[in-house]
Amino acid sequence: MNYEEALLYMEGRLRLGWKLGNERMERACALLGNPQDQYRVIHIAGTKGKGSTTALCAQILHEAGYRVGAYFSPYVYDVRERVQVGGEMISQEDFAARMTEMRPIIDTFDDSEFGPITEFELKTLLAFFHFAKSEVDFAVIEVGIGGRLDATNVVQPLVTGITNIGLDHTDLLGDTHAKIAFEKAGIIKEGIPVFTATQNTEAFAVIAERAACLNAPLTHLVEGTVSANERGVAFWNLAPSESEQTANLNLTTERREYTNLEVGLMGRYQRENAALAVAMAECAVGLYGGELSENAIRRGLLATRLPARFEQFTLPNGALVVLDGAHNPMAAHALRGALDAVRREKGIERTLLVMGMMTGHEPEAFLAELAEGVAVLFTCQANWRRALPASELTPIAQRFAPDVREHTTVESAVRDALQEVRPNDLLLISGSFYVAGEAPPAKIREWFKM
């Protein structure tokens, strides 16, 4: 298969939906020679920040001189973003070659007792297989949904991590922090160190209990200053700064104390993600038999960039555009802090919001966190099977914004917003990575000129 044929082959499995469970993945991995066992894995789950933490951890290890694979869920602009080695997306040639090699095995599942391989499972297998072929030292693997029954949970990790936990995917994972934490904690393995930045006490209690049952050494990342006799705790705080959204990071782990670590990603919440990434990378390298240099950590934290994580640029008329994949109330709350800082710093007069969401999320709770100060809200529907119809989103949005305009596509909503945007405005495109993915910066600039 060439790249286009391989892509169509993968997309043809979208009709199968999302099927939680590990048995089919375990069998597929076995038939492929268990590629996921041929390198050291750092496995990361969580409600918010798992993609950023994956990127930060991978970049730190890369800066330390290791060959590093990274698997992300979901992608934003290009499906190849999901599978990266050394910070570079899998090439079209390798994508096609790996899929061609795997296809005879994948096809055997269509009429088997295990059932057909889903699109997400195929992407995950592609990552495992490509990392093995690329002979990576480490692979940093982001969970798709939950953890316990996620397709990625066939790995035997060197280190596991759980970012902050909130209420999201409640239809699949449960409607309380404890239930969701139980699913996330399903990635914890016997005797394997686990790190968590979870702030919710109910969720942390579940994680701690699971770790204790499996004799997994647990480290809790806590905001604050170092306290005496605190075992199993790593402390982080913000260095003095004009804005906590861009402040440097201080961190004390069991191994070392770091001061004034500069984080390239915008947002206070990214400092917490950075602290978790450093602690996991430091532990992983130590278990690998090495020692992680502070210079590698500093370079990695500063160099990390991710699409649609407070991705910002300026239009020719001076208006600011921000793309962010926030899609749950916890993410919206964190995004609001970063937006408020930028609005103060740049003297923003109005905020315009282009918003679409997927089914299974909570648009009302999302808007309750984010909609204050929004002058015009443009509802839309991404071209994705789980997209919430704009007609269902609009009446909810009308309770939060004075001017709501409904669009059937992301492009039409963004084009309308670009007609409206003024020099001192901020245009935010958010609610889903799929929405952001249909409005990459290059297209927005092109639409603005037309």
Side-chain angles (χ1 to χ4, degrees):
M1 293 184 289
N2 59 28
Y3 174 68
E4 289 73 21
E5 292 167 338
L7 195 58
L8 286 173
Y9 176 69
M10 176 178 282
E11 291 174 347
R13 294 182 175 271
L14 283 168
R15 58 184 172 79
L16 300 170
W18 197 296
K19 298 178 182 178
L20 296 177
N22 306 131
E23 188 178 14
R24 184 169 48 251
M25 277 294 293
E26 288 171 352
R27 178 60 177 164
C29 286
L31 292 173
L32 288 168
N34 285 315
Q36 79 283 1
D37 294 339
Q38 297 177 33
Y39 35 82
R40 293 159 180 82
V41 171
I42 299 171
H43 200 197
I44 301 175
T47 301
K48 171 175 167 42
K50 57 190 174 76
S52 297
T53 305
T54 296
L56 288 159
C57 191
Q59 188 67 36
I60 289 169
L61 294 171
H62 171 73
E63 296 291 345
Y66 296 103
R67 188 160 174 78
V68 185
Y71 180 56
F72 296 96
S73 178
Y75 71 93
V76 181
Y77 304 128
D78 188 321
V79 68
R80 294 180 298 125
E81 292 169 21
R82 280 187 175 270
V83 182
Q84 301 185 22
V85 173
E88 299 292 331
M89 294 188 298
I90 183 173
S91 68
Q92 293 187 1
E93 293 76 17
D94 281 344
F95 187 103
R98 308 296 187 235
M99 291 290 284
T100 299
E101 191 171 350
M102 292 194 303
R103 181 172 182 170
I105 290 173
I106 302 304
D107 286 346
T108 64
F109 282 81
D110 290 350
D111 298 314
S112 74
E113 60 184 294
F114 297 97
I117 299 291
T118 68
E119 187 244 9
F120 180 73
E121 289 168 341
L122 184 53
K123 287 174 180 173
T124 305
L125 290 166
L126 172 66
F128 292 167
F129 197 55
H130 182 60
F131 296 155
K133 291 286 188 180
S134 301
E135 298 182 337
V136 301
D137 300 306
F138 291 99
V140 190
I141 307 292
E142 178 186 355
V143 165
I145 288 182
R148 182 174 64 94
L149 298 175
D150 187 71
T152 64
N153 202 29
V154 297
V155 298
Q156 294 301 316
L158 186 68
V159 176
T160 58
I162 302 174
T163 65
N164 223 331
I165 289 178
L167 300 178
D168 195 20
H169 295 294
T170 54
D171 54 330
L172 294 173
L173 305 180
D175 57 0
T176 68
H177 285 86
K179 290 178 181 177
I180 292 174
F182 174 78
E183 296 298 330
K184 309 290 187 186
I187 71 168
I188 299 174
K189 302 296 189 297
E190 180 78 37
I192 301 301
V194 55
F195 294 78
T196 183
T198 303
Q199 298 174 13
N200 182 274
T201 55
E202 185 181 358
F204 179 73
V206 172
I207 293 168
E209 181 181 4
R210 178 67 176 169
C213 287
L214 293 173
N215 298 308
L218 173 63
T219 300
H220 193 192
L221 276 290
V222 175
E223 184 177 5
T225 54
V226 177
S227 301
N229 302 318
E230 286 278 4
R231 295 184 60 81
V233 180
F235 291 94
W236 68 273
N237 58 63
L238 302 180
S241 173
E242 291 184 2
S243 171
E244 62 182 16
Q245 305 299 327
T246 57
N248 289 350
L249 170 70
N250 299 321
L251 171 65
T252 302
T253 69
E254 290 186 357
R255 289 175 168 81
R256 194 183 299 168
E257 181 178 348
Y258 306 92
T259 59
N260 281 306
L261 296 173
E262 190 173 353
V263 182
L265 294 172
M266 172 76 172
R268 188 184 198 280
Y269 55 96
Q270 296 291 12
R271 277 74 197 144
E272 178 181 88
N273 294 334
L276 181 59
V278 170
M280 287 191 297
E282 186 185 68
C283 178
V285 171
L287 292 171
Y288 189 67
E291 184 174 346
L292 186 61
S293 75
E294 184 172 331
N295 283 338
I297 291 171
R298 291 188 180 278
R299 291 195 303 269
L301 295 183
L302 186 58
T304 302
R305 294 292 185 274
L306 271 174
R309 273 75 165 188
F310 213 86
E311 184 177 7
Q312 54 182 305
F313 63 94
T314 303
L315 291 172
N317 72 344
L320 181 67
V321 179
V322 173
L323 289 145
D324 195 279
H327 54 273
N328 57 54
M330 176 180 285
H333 178 77
L335 174 58
R336 170 67 184 275
L339 286 171
D340 285 346
V342 167
R343 285 188 279 228
R344 288 192 300 269
E345 177 187 336
K346 297 186 178 296
I348 297 296
E349 295 179 356
R350 296 189 311 162
T351 299
L352 283 63
L353 171 60
V354 172
M355 174 186 169
M357 298 196 81
M358 298 296 108
T359 57
H361 296 296
E362 305 174 72
E364 187 167 5
F366 180 89
L367 284 166
E369 292 284 357
L370 199 61
E372 184 177 348
V374 171
V376 188
L377 199 159
F378 305 81
T379 61
C380 61
Q381 180 177 342
N383 184 25
W384 192 249
R385 66 187 187 283
R386 293 190 298 108
L388 183 70
S391 59
E392 295 182 25
L393 182 57
T394 297
I396 298 171
Q398 287 171 337
R399 302 203 296 270
F400 292 91
D403 185 355
V404 177
R405 306 178 190 179
E406 182 179 313
H407 291 266
T408 56
T409 67
V410 174
E411 179 178 342
S412 62
V414 174
R415 283 179 177 273
D416 190 8
L418 292 173
Q419 293 292 322
E420 179 75 25
V421 72
R422 303 170 188 166
N424 291 321
D425 287 350
L426 185 153
L427 171 58
L428 172 64
I429 301 170
S430 189
S432 168
F433 284 114
Y434 296 103
V435 171
E438 292 184 31
K443 281 191 175 181
I444 293 174
R445 292 186 178 98
E446 178 185 330
W447 296 335
F448 182 77
K449 294 177 182 177
M450 296 174 68

